[in-house]
Amino acid sequence: MEHIVIIGNGISGVTAARHIRKLSDKKITLISAETDHFFSRTALMYVYMGHMKFEHTKPYEDWFWKKNRIELKNGYVETVETESKTLHFTDGDTLTYDKLIIATGSKSNKFGWPGQDLNGVQGLYSKQDLDALEVFAPNKNICKRAVIVGGGLIGIELTEMLNSRDIPVTFLVRESSFWNGVLPEGDSAMINRQIKNHHIDLRLSTNLKEIVSDGNGKANAVIIEETGEKIPCDFVGLTAGVSPNIDFLKGTSIETAKGVLVNRYLETNIKDVYAIGDCAEQREAIGNRRPVEAVWYTGRMMGEVIAQTICGHKMKYNPGHWFNSAKFFDIEYQTYGWVFTKPKEGHLHFHWKHVDDTKCITIEYNASTNEFLGINTFGIRMRHEVFDRWLTEKQTIDYVILHLGKANFDPELYHHFEGDIQRAFKNQLQNLQL
Amino acid sequence: MSNKLNYSMSLAKPDAKDFSLKQKVAIGIGIIGLFILVLALFNADINHSGWVLTTALGLIVLGTIWFSNSVYLSESKGIKNDGVWFKSISSRGLIGWATGIVLTLFYIVLYFYPHLLGLGKDGAPNTGLVALFDPLSQLLSGRPASQWFVYGALYTMAILVFGYKFFLKYRHNRYEQIRTGSVMFFQLAFAFLIPEFMYVMNSDLPYYDLKSIWPLNYYLFDSWSIKGFLSAGTIGLILLIFGVVSIFIITPILTYKYGKRWYCSWVCGCGGLAETAGDPFRHLSSKKLSSWKLERWLIHAVLVFSVVMTMATIYSFLGNNPDSYWLTKSLFIKLSIGFLSLIFLLFMLFKRKEFGKDAKNASIGYAVVISLVLIMHFTGTTDQIFFIKSSSLRSAYGLYIGSIFSGVIGTGFYPIFGSRVWCRFGCPMAAILGLQQRLLSKFRITTNGGQCISCGNCSTYCEMGIDVRAYAQKGENIVRSSCVGCGICSAVCPRGVLKLENDGLKGRINPTEILLGNDVNLMDLVNQNN
Ligand SMILES: Cc1cc2nc3c(=O)[nH]c(=O)nc-3n(C[C@H](O)[C@H](O)[C@H](O)COP(=O)(O)OP(=O)(O)OC[C@H]3O[C@@H](n4cnc5c(N)ncnc54)[C@H](O)[C@@H]3O)c2cc1C
Ligand code: SF4
Ligand code: SF4
């Protein structure tokens, strides 16, 4: 029986395992050094905030794996010998495979800041990070102030987490406005205000210079690059992005760049070795997508595809229209298609914001053909299926605005804003024509 | 973190947000109100003229309102679940257990030892807690209070004040607000006030909460109840007919259009308490597959029991002689079997696909009911069925299901098993509505394409223990007989994945993996292979 070995029990590895089991009878081994059972990384914040216990983050009950004959191995892979198809573990153990799937995810970026390895300085990625957080920032008495470095999705989550335990947070953001490498100005500005409304000390256009030690190996302050200001703190969160977790592949014959290089079939340069999820890097980018795409959905979709290939229906990774979602404190965000920070050449933005400052949308469209290209929606839920269809049908923005009600996914009895949005759109059109 | 587990057993909370001074004072005020009730309970020598009661209830209401304002109004609108699993009361900690035990004891006393509450025996004047409520009862219906009046008043107050708290907690969510307004209204008007006024109008009428429908209202067809209605003249007859119409006509129509939520989380009193006072405990329900199995077995067993019990009750007071009354024992049996068989056949003919693997269980259930009824008919006598006294069957049901299950376990154990134990495992009404919801309703929870991140908030906060995530992460709609449509899964989802909707029957149950994201051909393939 063919032995499929998967390194990494995150969403990509687990999806692959589940689908291979559905499609075949192969022997499957799932390896991880992080936790025995798959849990949802995206839910780590809710454990710290007391919304859930860790066990609630596990999408499958513990008996699931045995029942589906997916063998679990807890161990850290130190290196891969592709000639003999053997994995070597740190504890000296070995395991041979017929086909190998690398799904090792990401690790938090550290940019060589002085003091970045002190106690009380960490990223937020793994279960171990969560445990460390409970040690260094369990409450506002032990952690009198926290500093978060890096204004991305994980940074704002960590800020919200600490804030939920009344720990004062200083949030250092390199950009001039929160996440404005991705969000257009109007959207980003609204989130800035949302952050400040939650009593966060938000510092825009601010870089970290160094982290100061208390002399006992623990952080007790940070120094700001621009002003030299010293901010005393007991915890420093480094959330300046993630990068593929592939150090253990150094010195093997598997070709890597930022991540493990794969073609559209998710194959590496070595036969019978594949890579999926956060750690995979496309040799050529697909559409507007980045070569490394560290999002949950990508890992899941790659897991579905690789299972097909391994079970004999060789299949290209062919993702559909881009979508994503996040939540910024109380404001939910969803996006479908592509909306860029500034409209791309020949494109325009339509922006609408509700007076209560918690809802807005931005639509990107083609200025000459009016083709709808993408939407960011904040505080209003929208239907994935509908936007996916409209993007495929290449509908115009006029059509989308007129039928926006069809895409609404807010709970029943909510107030609707389509009328408001339509009026705003008409006004903008008139202004453009003048 | 596993070490969090221990936190909940300690009275001090090392890391969660603590109560502010204002909140502590508010809690103190509420406790003084409760304490007055306890004093009354122990027959302390207090004035029973009405103002003591007013003060006690007033303090409880004031304390809760002030507390809620302080907790929620000072914060932004949004999901307020911070620290739920750290607080002792809401994470099976010491306070949680203590509350559970006190509530359970209260129910035991209420059901089995009402004289301990001060109920006067054989017309003697009330004392203690019951006497404290006499003035209110006199005011509403001109008669002294009973233990049920006390219970009804406290129950209604709980729904109102905790409803207010819930209102503030979900003040960003109009579905939750309007739904809560509805349960508060139905409890106050239909369960509490209208029955009292009906008594004033016509004192022959048995207590009748119009919204309490058979089989939840299992005593509707008891002989004393039927006699009461019939002896109360036209109004009694109208009410009795309304009772029959509500279960056989109104209920199916509304459930078809809106799912069982129209009743379970908008109207029902048990649901009302669970959604308001029980809200802080909703996440304690078990999500295990084994609990789901137990649930299906238990709730349908109760349904069978209640149907057979009701038929036995009616059967036992019918006669054999068609000349004295048209509905004879044998005609009743024939009609009942005919009706049950018709329903069973219709479902099997038109809903076989939706039944899926459950068709076998449904057939077993049907066969059990029919054989029990036949056994009853052929072995029963006027006062003996199943070789036991017919009234003992009815009292066994009242005792084990009506009192112990729905009251003592259902509500007393809120802080241990969550707020919907009765609704999930025991309520025969929920079982009937659930069958309809699954097979013949436009209601479903739609999943938003591929947006789910499997975080588990929805499953954790589902009071019915439905593993919502298991469906959402597969892009599958949630069509479950137990879903009461509370809407909380949708509210707590951080990615906007879930929407409760009523829509056409086609494509309602979509068990194939239509996950959006990957291109469509792949999905064709996945579905083919299934
Ligand atoms: C706090 C947080 C919030 C997030 N929120 C979102 C969100 O809202 N939406 C979204 O789309 N994405 C989100 N993400 C990103 C998303 O979680 C990741 O894209 C996704 O988990 C990646 O899955 P994966 O299977 O590729 O890798 P991982 O989930 O990282 O799994 C890899 C596993 O492999 C193990 N491993 C690595 N190397 C070895 C080795 N040598 N030997 C043995 N085991 C090894 C790791 O320990 C890990 O358990 C979030 C991430 C974080 C950290
Ligand atoms: S599935 Fe959702 S709506 Fe239904 S009972 Fe559970 S939480 Fe409520
Ligand atoms: S809460 Fe939403 S995102 Fe989280 S598991 Fe449930 S449906 Fe998925």
Side-chain angles (χ1 to χ4, degrees):
Chain A
M1 201 170 17
E2 197 173 36
H3 186 192
I4 313 295
V5 174
I6 305 170
I7 314 181
N9 68 348
I11 180 67
S12 52
V14 163
T15 308
R18 278 180 44 239
H19 282 263
I20 294 172
R21 175 50 71 241
K22 270 193 186 177
L23 298 171
S24 77
D25 227 16
K26 300 179 195 298
K27 179 175 172 187
I28 305 172
T29 305
L30 197 53
I31 302 171
S32 170
E34 187 179 10
T35 51
D36 288 340
H37 299 108
F38 170 50
F39 73 97
S40 180
R41 202 172 291 298
T42 51
L44 283 177
M45 68 182 291
Y46 301 108
V47 179
Y48 179 84
M49 288 164 70
H51 295 203
M52 294 196 270
K53 294 210 281 184
F54 182 74
E55 67 193 53
H56 297 120
T57 66
K58 293 193 246 176
Y60 305 96
E61 286 186 60
D62 291 351
W63 47 258
F64 175 88
W65 310 101
K66 190 158 181 210
K67 179 167 176 257
N68 288 288
R69 287 167 294 124
I70 296 174
E71 282 178 36
L72 304 178
K73 177 165 172 61
N74 191 330
Y76 188 83
V77 178
E78 200 171 41
T79 190
V80 181
E81 242 176 58
T82 48
E83 285 291 289
S84 59
K85 294 192 164 180
T86 308
L87 303 181
H88 293 268
F89 292 85
T90 37
D91 62 3
D93 218 355
T94 59
L95 186 73
T96 54
Y97 61 83
D98 295 309
K99 290 200 167 107
L100 177 68
I101 303 176
I102 302 173
T104 51
S106 305
K107 59 180 188 332
S108 307
N109 285 337
K110 289 183 173 183
F111 291 116
W113 293 292
Q116 67 180 14
D117 293 319
L118 291 168
N119 283 333
V121 182
Q122 64 169 86
L124 177 70
Y125 192 83
S126 62
K127 167 76 164 64
Q128 285 71 25
D129 290 337
L130 182 70
D131 295 346
L133 192 62
E134 284 288 354
V135 173
F136 293 105
N139 57 44
K140 63 179 177 192
N141 301 322
I142 291 178
C143 178
K144 299 211 166 49
R145 175 166 292 276
V147 174
I148 307 300
V149 185
L153 295 178
I154 299 182
I156 195 167
E157 281 188 4
L158 190 51
T159 304
E160 184 180 350
M161 288 160 71
L162 294 158
N163 191 52
S164 78
R165 294 198 188 181
D166 281 347
I167 295 173
V169 184
T170 300
F171 190 14
L172 307 187
V173 173
R174 189 182 56 184
E175 294 77 21
S176 57
S177 180
F178 175 77
W179 216 35
N180 69 0
V182 177
L183 298 181
E185 194 185 326
D187 302 357
S188 166
M190 188 177 85
I191 303 303
N192 290 341
R193 293 187 293 271
Q194 172 77 0
I195 296 171
K196 287 184 185 153
N197 285 343
H198 282 80
H199 317 293
I200 306 298
D201 173 23
L202 174 66
R203 311 276 187 103
L204 298 171
S205 307
T206 305
N207 282 278
L208 172 70
K209 184 170 175 210
E210 69 171 277
I211 302 163
V212 184
S213 163
D214 67 350
N216 294 317
K218 191 179 157 296
N220 75 353
V222 299
I223 295 178
I224 305 282
E225 174 87 52
E226 285 75 12
T227 57
E229 183 191 354
K230 185 169 173 179
I231 304 175
C233 63
D234 300 295
F235 176 85
V236 181
L238 300 179
T239 54
V242 296
S243 44
N245 184 11
I246 51 164
D247 289 347
F248 72 106
L249 293 176
K250 268 188 198 136
T252 66
S253 43
I254 300 168
E255 201 182 337
T256 62
K258 253 182 95 177
V260 182
L261 288 169
V262 294
N263 61 16
R264 285 294 287 273
Y265 293 97
L266 307 171
E267 298 164 328
T268 65
N269 62 319
I270 308 287
K271 190 170 174 308
D272 292 338
V273 179
Y274 308 83
I276 56 175
D278 278 20
C279 69
E281 176 176 355
Q282 294 291 326
R283 286 181 190 273
E284 50 201 288
I286 305 170
N288 281 318
R289 289 170 183 260
R290 297 176 194 177
V292 176
E293 231 173 44
V295 289
W296 183 263
Y297 313 111
T298 300
R300 195 197 69 215
M301 292 180 325
M302 286 182 170
E304 289 165 356
V305 173
I306 196 71
Q308 297 292 337
T309 297
I310 289 204
C311 296
H313 323 279
K314 190 163 175 176
M315 175 153 296
K316 241 185 181 169
Y317 171 54
N318 198 13
H321 299 291
W322 170 252
F323 68 97
N324 201 0
S325 61
K327 192 172 179 185
F328 307 109
F329 288 92
D330 294 322
I331 301 182
E332 287 174 18
Y333 154 73
Q334 296 178 335
T335 185
Y336 301 104
W338 292 106
V339 180
F340 297 96
T341 331
K342 297 233 157 51
K344 284 231 153 142
E345 217 190 302
H347 295 179
L348 284 172
H349 276 179
F350 163 67
H351 180 70
W352 167 89
K353 185 167 76 63
H354 189 258
V355 282
D356 76 1
D357 209 24
T358 64
K359 300 168 196 78
C360 75
I361 64 168
T362 300
I363 294 181
E364 181 147 341
Y365 63 103
N366 187 307
S368 45
T369 64
N370 275 356
E371 184 187 337
F372 166 78
L373 300 167
I375 182 169
N376 282 348
T377 161
F378 294 82
I380 302 176
R381 296 175 172 180
M382 304 265 186
R383 267 179 218 267
H384 187 177
E385 199 195 332
V386 171
F387 275 110
D388 200 69
R389 193 172 67 237
W390 286 346
L391 284 163
T392 305
E393 293 167 356
K394 298 189 187 302
Q395 294 292 358
T396 61
I397 180 166
D398 311 77
Y399 180 92
V400 168
I401 296 273
L402 192 65
H403 296 88
L404 208 52
K406 283 215 163 53
N408 186 291
F409 200 69
D410 269 340
E412 295 154 303
L413 307 177
Y414 267 43
H415 292 296
H416 281 237
F417 304 98
E418 287 89 21
D420 221 24
I421 295 174
Q422 279 151 10
R423 273 188 296 280
F425 182 62
K426 265 197 195 134
N427 284 341
Q428 174 172 325
L429 274 192
Q430 277 161 3
N431 290 342
L432 278 179
Q433 282 158 2
L434 287 177
Chain B
M1 279 253 328
S2 49
N3 60 10
K4 274 281 158 289
L5 265 179
N6 315 333
Y7 287 178
S8 67
M9 287 310 281
S10 67
L11 285 170
K13 301 176 296 294
D15 50 11
K17 278 186 179 171
D18 211 344
F19 293 124
S20 69
L21 185 66
K22 216 173 168 186
Q23 289 160 10
K24 283 178 188 154
V25 174
I27 295 175
I29 292 177
I31 289 181
I32 296 175
L34 270 179
F35 187 66
I36 298 179
L37 296 185
V38 174
L39 281 184
L41 177 65
F42 289 109
N43 271 313
D45 188 16
I46 47 174
N47 188 319
H48 286 172
S49 66
W51 67 265
V52 182
L53 178 67
T54 314
T55 314
L57 299 187
L59 287 175
I60 296 175
V61 171
L62 184 77
T64 322
I65 290 184
W66 198 19
F67 178 81
S68 317
N69 287 353
S70 161
V71 171
Y72 299 118
L73 288 183
S74 60
E75 295 208 17
S76 62
K77 298 180 184 180
I79 292 303
K80 295 283 165 270
N81 286 334
D82 288 353
V84 162
W85 282 101
F86 306 148
K87 290 183 193 133
S88 186
I89 177 100
S90 58
S91 62
R92 296 192 194 105
L94 221 52
I95 302 180
W97 277 96
T99 313
I101 290 168
V102 169
L103 279 175
T104 307
L105 289 176
F106 172 74
Y107 272 95
I108 293 175
V109 170
L110 175 74
Y111 282 116
F112 305 112
Y113 308 99
H115 60 278
L116 291 181
L117 296 176
L119 183 70
K121 270 189 186 155
D122 306 322
N126 292 327
T127 55
L129 188 64
V130 182
L132 189 68
F133 281 77
D134 276 342
L136 182 59
S137 182
Q138 292 289 359
L139 181 74
L140 289 173
S141 64
R143 59 183 158 167
S146 66
Q147 83 272 33
W148 298 119
F149 180 81
V150 174
Y151 178 55
L154 290 174
Y155 196 103
T156 305
M157 185 184 74
I159 291 190
L160 294 181
V161 296
F162 289 109
Y164 174 80
K165 176 167 175 276
F166 190 88
F167 219 76
L168 296 190
K169 182 174 175 187
Y170 287 97
R171 69 190 205 284
H172 63 293
N173 189 316
R174 276 189 97 223
Y175 179 79
E176 295 306 330
Q177 292 193 319
I178 295 172
R179 185 173 68 69
T180 305
S182 168
V183 288
M184 288 161 77
F185 166 77
F186 276 102
Q187 176 62 30
L188 180 64
F190 280 60
F192 189 61
L193 295 179
I194 294 180
E196 298 296 327
F197 297 156
M198 283 191 340
Y199 174 83
V200 175
M201 273 166 37
N202 186 336
S203 62
D204 288 333
L205 280 178
Y207 169 87
Y208 187 32
D209 168 359
L210 286 172
K211 68 177 173 43
S212 185
I213 300 174
W214 180 89
L216 180 60
N217 178 357
Y218 56 87
Y219 39 78
L220 181 66
F221 297 111
D222 281 4
S223 69
W224 59 265
S225 158
I226 301 268
K227 278 183 194 136
F229 280 120
L230 293 180
S231 66
T234 324
I235 174 84
L237 193 63
I238 291 177
L239 287 178
L240 190 60
I241 292 175
F242 176 77
V244 177
V245 167
S246 17
I247 182 65
F248 291 116
I249 298 178
I250 302 180
T251 299
I253 294 178
L254 288 176
T255 309
Y256 172 72
K257 289 183 80 153
Y258 306 110
K260 84 199 246 190
R261 57 183 169 156
W262 77 267
Y263 191 71
C264 296
S265 65
W266 284 73
V267 171
C268 177
C270 305
L273 192 72
E275 293 293 344
T276 52
D279 173 65
F281 311 111
R282 60 170 62 246
H283 52 283
L284 299 173
S285 59
S286 166
K287 292 9 179 239
K288 291 198 181 126
L289 190 64
S290 48
S291 304
W292 184 16
K293 285 189 179 146
L294 177 71
E295 163 197 320
R296 302 204 304 169
W297 191 86
L298 213 55
I299 194 169
H300 293 121
V302 173
L303 178 62
V304 167
F305 187 7
S306 76
V307 169
V308 173
M309 185 273 296
T310 304
M311 290 176 68
T313 310
I314 298 176
Y315 181 84
S316 67
F317 61 72
L318 290 175
N320 285 320
N321 185 353
D323 295 333
S324 56
Y325 193 61
W326 63 273
L327 188 60
T328 58
K329 277 183 162 48
S330 61
L331 181 61
F332 173 69
I333 292 294
K334 282 179 201 146
L335 284 178
S336 313
I337 293 186
F339 180 70
L340 288 172
S341 308
L342 183 69
I343 293 185
F344 178 73
L345 280 179
L346 285 178
F347 270 120
M348 279 300 172
L349 272 177
F350 296 105
K351 293 283 158 185
R352 182 70 187 78
K353 209 169 91 230
E354 287 84 346
F355 255 124
K357 289 181 209 139
D358 292 333
K360 201 175 103 198
N361 295 335
S363 313
I364 295 175
Y366 167 78
V368 168
V369 174
I370 297 296
S371 29
L372 283 177
V373 169
L374 287 174
I375 293 174
M376 173 174 92
H377 188 48
F378 289 111
T379 66
T381 63
T382 312
D383 47 19
Q384 275 218 330
I385 38 178
F386 305 122
F387 310 106
I388 48 174
K389 258 179 79 183
S390 61
S391 57
S392 1
L393 187 70
R394 164 62 184 73
S395 6
Y397 185 88
L399 174 69
Y400 293 111
I401 311 291
S403 311
I404 298 187
F405 205 156
S406 83
V408 180
I409 300 178
T411 312
F413 283 37
Y414 267 15
I416 310 303
F417 298 131
S419 49
R420 287 271 193 178
V421 173
W422 161 248
C423 312
R424 179 180 178 192
F425 295 98
C427 177
M429 177 77 180
I432 293 188
L433 294 178
L435 278 172
Q436 280 181 45
Q437 166 157 294
R438 182 151 162 73
L439 301 174
L440 197 62
S441 166
K442 301 169 93 148
F443 172 72
R444 91 289 313 277
I445 304 178
T446 309
T447 297
N448 201 4
Q451 286 281 22
C452 175
I453 53 169
S454 303
C455 69
N457 274 295
C458 51
S459 298
T460 307
Y461 285 89
C462 175
E463 53 190 350
M464 297 305 281
I466 298 174
D467 191 359
V468 183
R469 163 174 58 191
Y471 302 82
Q473 66 190 358
K474 287 193 279 179
E476 196 175 318
N477 289 346
I478 294 109
V479 179
R480 278 278 292 266
S481 48
S482 63
C483 170
V484 292
C486 66
I488 296 296
C489 53
S490 160
V492 298
C493 173
R495 295 295 178 269
V497 178
L498 305 164
K499 180 174 162 81
L500 283 66
E501 311 189 88
N502 315 306
D503 203 348
L505 293 181
K506 202 168 146 264
R508 178 169 167 261
I509 303 180
N510 55 342
T512 46
E513 303 224 347
I514 41 161
L515 269 182
L516 273 177
N518 266 322
D519 87 331
V520 189
N521 296 341
L522 168 71
M523 294 337 293
D524 285 350
L525 198 85
V526 171
N527 296 338
Q528 257 171 37
N529 280 316
N530 272 343

